[in-house]
Amino acid sequence: MLELKTRKTQKSIEPQTGLSILDHALKEDLDWGFSCARGSCARCRCYVASGREFLSMPSDEEENRLEPEELEQGYRLACQCMIKQVGDISVIHKPYF
């Protein structure tokens, strides 16, 4: 199960491999801020509370945009963070602003 949380909404859905967290949020019509979908604006920044092992490794874009400490703590860019395996995943939208 994939649990997506924003400031106003929480939704649990079945994750699909090969899709990003942002893809899932947009498919569910969640208010998940983003501007570029390329990993440069960081408006889609999120915190992966659980299920990190089911996600792709951080992309070059994430490593260039996020601080190493953020990545270690579980922050990712939803546009770059891909579901690689189905499992229980919980993600919270945590933009900088």
Side-chain angles (χ1 to χ4, degrees), residues 5-88:
K5 296 179 186 178
T6 67
R7 289 182 182 147
K8 298 178 183 178
T9 311
Q10 179 175 331
K11 197 154 206 179
S12 294
I13 59 172
E14 285 298 320
Q16 294 181 20
T17 58
L19 294 180
S20 70
I21 298 298
L22 181 61
D23 291 334
H24 284 86
L26 295 176
K27 279 180 65 173
E28 295 299 319
D29 202 27
L30 293 175
D31 185 21
W32 201 285
F34 75 101
S35 290
C36 71
R38 294 184 317 269
S40 59
C41 77
R43 289 186 54 106
C44 66
R45 179 178 174 258
C46 59
Y47 174 69
V48 181
S50 64
R52 295 177 193 157
E53 66 273 19
F54 302 118
L55 305 173
S56 62
M57 296 298 292
S59 67
D60 289 343
E61 290 81 5
E62 288 176 288
E63 290 182 357
N64 290 333
R65 184 64 178 88
L66 298 173
E67 295 295 326
E69 296 81 22
E70 289 177 292
L71 289 168
E72 288 174 20
Q73 292 169 2
Y75 288 93
R76 301 289 301 269
L77 298 179
C79 69
Q80 299 294 306
C81 188
M82 307 296 282
I83 307 286
K84 69 173 187 177
Q85 184 180 344
V86 173
D88 289 332

